[in-house]
């Protein structure tokens, strides 16, 4: 049984007070409504990490994630943050390879596989994002594209390490567009990713890895997406910024 994950990716939104108030209110509503059946992760800007950790510290169903880390542990990289620094706040997860990082910051596979290593060395759970653009899907190259992202980002990991990873399938054409992948499209790709993991490792390991869907998950489509056999929850952007929307999605994951 894979416990579902609902991870909110705030991107570059919310000042310190807004962020911490949001976490407090969401946690309060989760507890009041007894919606503790899924793991809820807040992927915040770096400024929220430490205080966010304090808000969720005693709750085994909540965690705090960073949205990125550097591929080195220290050095002359002005403005960057190392996985060890993130871990020192008490945060437990880190998104790696979000399509916005790949697109706007030209992050490549070599850097991303090093970021995964940095996370694992610091016992941070990487949430590794993969997904195709619309051009790639229309050219029917999405399977090979996603396979390559999985191979290059993850397949250097040992059997033990791969089990620490969460994968997020995020079709780029669905992120922030309001056009989600259909539940069938999501299921097809998730099953494909799980098969690839099975070939590289084994069925038992592949069966334990959580694969999240991300791309315009909203209160009105979350339940159907999450009901697919290989969809183990979601990585949520826009709908993670309002407590009511985020709570509806958490409810759909119970
Ligand atoms: C994301 O940024 O990871 C995301 C899935 O965004 P949205 O839910 O807004 O499409």
């Amino acid at each position: 049984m894979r416990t579902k994950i609902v991870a909110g990716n705030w991107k570059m939104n919310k000042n310190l007070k807004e962020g911490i108030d949001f976490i407090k209110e969401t946690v309060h509503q989760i507890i009041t409504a007894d919606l503790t059946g899924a793991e809820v992760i807040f992927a915040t800007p770096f400024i929220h990490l430490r205080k966010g950790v304090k808000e969720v510290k005693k709750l085994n169903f909540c965690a705090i994630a960073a949205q990125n880390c550097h591929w080195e542990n220290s050095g002359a990289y002005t403005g960057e943050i190392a996985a060890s620094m993130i871990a020192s706040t008490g945060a437990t997860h880190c998104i790696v390879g979000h399509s916005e990082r790949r697109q706007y910051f030209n992050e490549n596979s070599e850097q991303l596989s090093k970021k995964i290593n940095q996370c694992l060395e610091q016992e941070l759970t990487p949430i590794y994002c993969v997904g195709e653009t619309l051009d790639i899907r229309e050219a029917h190259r999405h399977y090979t594209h996603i396979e390559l992202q999985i191979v290059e980002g993850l397949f250097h990991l040992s059997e033990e390490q791969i089990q620490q990873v969460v994968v997020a399938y995020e079709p780029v054409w669905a992120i922030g567009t309001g056009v989600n992948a259909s539940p069938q499209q999501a299921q097809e790709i998730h099953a494909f990713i799980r098969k690839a993991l099975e070939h590289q490792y084994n069925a038992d390991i592949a069966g334990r890895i959580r694969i999240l869907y991300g791309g315009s998950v909203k209160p009105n489509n979350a339940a159907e997406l999450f009901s697919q056999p290989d969809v183990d929850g979601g990585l949520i952007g826009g709908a993670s910024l309002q407590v009511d929307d985020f709570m509806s999605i958490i409810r759909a994951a119970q």
Side-chain angles (χ1 to χ4, degrees):
M1 234 296 266
R2 296 183 295 266
T3 304
K4 287 200 168 40
I5 294 176
V6 177
N9 173 17
W10 293 355
K11 313 192 187 194
M12 197 172 70
N13 291 292
K14 298 191 187 298
N15 67 26
L16 184 56
K17 183 176 183 320
E18 289 165 348
I20 300 308
D21 286 351
F22 183 95
I23 293 172
K24 279 185 181 155
E25 179 58 25
T26 307
V27 165
H28 171 74
Q29 292 200 20
I30 292 172
I31 292 171
T32 309
D34 196 18
L35 296 174
T36 56
E39 282 176 46
V40 174
I41 300 173
F42 302 92
T44 74
F46 296 122
I47 61 157
H48 302 94
L49 294 178
R50 181 74 190 127
K51 281 198 162 188
V53 164
K54 287 187 179 158
E55 294 301 327
V56 307
K57 206 166 50 193
K58 297 197 183 95
L59 309 171
N60 58 7
F61 56 89
C62 268
I64 301 293
Q67 299 171 13
N68 180 37
C69 65
H70 197 264
W71 62 83
E72 296 287 349
N73 189 37
S74 62
Y77 298 102
T78 302
E80 290 292 318
I81 303 233
S84 56
M85 297 168 183
I86 294 165
S88 75
T89 70
T92 49
H93 295 65
C94 182
I95 298 175
V96 174
H98 190 280
S99 66
E100 288 153 16
R101 300 291 318 172
R102 293 179 191 258
Q103 184 184 348
Y104 303 132
F105 302 95
N106 298 318
E107 293 190 357
N108 61 42
S109 300
E110 194 191 337
Q111 294 164 344
L112 295 178
S113 66
K114 287 186 184 167
K115 288 182 185 213
I116 298 271
N117 295 346
Q118 285 293 329
C119 287
L120 293 173
E121 272 173 35
Q122 301 301 328
E123 297 184 9
L124 289 176
T125 299
I127 303 173
Y128 179 60
C129 301
V130 299
E132 79 287 359
T133 60
L134 191 57
D135 282 358
I136 290 175
R137 180 166 274 263
E138 285 177 350
H140 305 291
R141 291 193 292 110
H142 45 300
Y143 284 100
T144 46
H145 179 81
I146 290 162
E147 185 174 26
L148 192 64
Q149 290 179 322
I150 295 281
V151 169
E152 292 183 338
L154 299 180
F155 279 6
H156 62 288
L157 299 178
S158 68
E159 288 192 355
E160 198 189 328
Q161 288 173 318
I162 191 73
Q163 297 181 60
Q164 311 309 315
V165 174
V166 171
V167 178
Y169 168 53
E170 297 214 306
V172 180
W173 47 270
I175 297 178
T177 60
V179 180
N180 59 287
S182 69
Q184 293 70 29
Q185 284 172 320
Q187 171 55 27
E188 271 168 24
I189 299 294
H190 285 228
F192 173 74
I193 293 171
R194 205 176 299 286
K195 259 279 171 273
L197 291 165
E198 183 180 327
H199 278 139
Q200 179 68 12
Y201 299 95
N202 60 51
D204 183 43
I205 289 174
R208 272 190 254 139
I209 295 173
R210 265 86 62 88
I211 307 176
L212 312 184
Y213 168 76
S216 297
V217 176
K218 304 290 177 197
N220 65 359
N221 61 22
E224 206 186 344
L225 284 160
F226 296 170
S227 71
Q228 301 302 308
D230 287 294
V231 176
D232 305 314
L235 182 54
I236 324 294
S240 75
L241 295 173
Q242 303 296 332
V243 174
D244 289 354
D245 288 347
F246 199 45
M247 283 305 303
S248 300
I249 294 170
I250 292 169
R251 197 167 289 111
Q254 302 299 303

